């Protein structure tokens, strides 16, 4: 099984508004990332050790990008479950979400899937309960959506 990391979401007050006309590279609050949105990772992203992020650059999936949101769910509960518990939930959920979204088995894919997880701070101050699974290409940029043809 491939290694994974945490993209820790830092607390934010409100989502950024995107023009109805769209944009080539918009910034989206990480907790508001939707399944199917393609992203560019920050240039200082440490894919091996994890990093905190409050927003991500979104782009059209037909343009060069690093990853795509392939799954999302709301984490239940009032008290913060801790990073270990969140990661355990994400590990199971994101593998399944990847297969459902792409139609491919993660073990045979050149891609990796990483969870965007709430931090204790974003959980308590922003009511962040989103677990977002992002499929990422480490080697070459992606130039189309990963969504299977349905």
């Amino acid at each position: 099984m491939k290694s994974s990391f945490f993209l820790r979401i830092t607390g934010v007050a409100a989502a950024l508004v995107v023009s109805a006309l769209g944009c080539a590279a918009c910034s989206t609050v990480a907790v508001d990332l939707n399944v199917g949105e393609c992203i560019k990772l920050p240039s200082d992203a440490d894919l091996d050790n994890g990093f905190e992020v409050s927003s991500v650059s979104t782009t059209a999936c037909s343009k060069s990008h690093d990853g795509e949101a392939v799954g999302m769910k709301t984490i239940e509960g009032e008290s913060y479950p801790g990073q270990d518990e969140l990661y355990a939930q994400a590990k199971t959920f994101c593998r399944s979400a990847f297969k459902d979204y792409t139609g491919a088995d993660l073990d045979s894919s050149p891609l990796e899937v990483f969870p965007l997880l709430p931090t204790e701070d974003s959980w308590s101050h922003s009511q962040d309960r989103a677990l977002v699974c992002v499929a990422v290409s480490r080697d070459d940029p992606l130039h189309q959506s990963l969504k299977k043809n349905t």
Side-chain angles (χ1 to χ4, degrees):
M1 184 179 292
K2 297 173 184 152
S3 64
S4 210
F5 67 89
F6 295 103
L7 292 175
R8 292 178 181 93
I9 301 171
T10 58
V12 291
L16 299 175
V17 177
V18 177
S19 164
L21 298 175
C23 63
C26 299
S27 182
T28 299
V29 175
V31 297
D32 292 331
L33 191 63
N34 294 305
V35 172
E37 286 187 294
C38 294
I39 66 168
K40 289 185 163 270
L41 293 173
S43 59
D44 63 345
D46 184 346
L47 298 179
D48 294 314
N49 296 308
F51 56 95
E52 289 194 9
V53 61
S54 60
S55 65
V56 292
S57 294
T58 56
T59 188
C61 293
S62 60
K63 298 192 181 289
S64 180
H65 59 281
D66 302 308
E68 183 171 347
V70 297
M72 187 275 210
K73 78 172 195 168
T74 300
I75 301 163
E76 301 296 325
E78 290 300 315
S79 60
Y80 183 70
Q83 288 291 312
D84 290 341
E85 172 59 28
L86 289 174
Y87 180 71
Q89 288 184 38
K91 187 175 177 182
T92 301
F93 176 74
C94 289
R95 290 184 72 75
S96 175
F98 179 84
K99 182 157 181 102
D100 291 346
Y101 188 81
T102 67
D105 184 47
L106 185 57
D107 290 330
S108 61
S109 173
L111 303 173
E112 296 180 62
V113 176
F114 302 109
L116 281 85
L117 301 171
T119 62
E120 189 168 5
D121 185 58
S122 70
W123 183 280
S124 60
H125 293 102
S126 302
Q127 302 304 307
D128 174 18
R129 303 293 188 272
L131 183 164
V132 181
C133 307
V134 179
V136 174
S137 172
R138 282 187 184 247
D139 300 324
D140 297 314
L142 302 167
H143 293 93
Q144 64 185 27
S145 175
L146 300 172
K147 186 171 181 140
K148 66 182 172 186
N149 295 329
T150 55

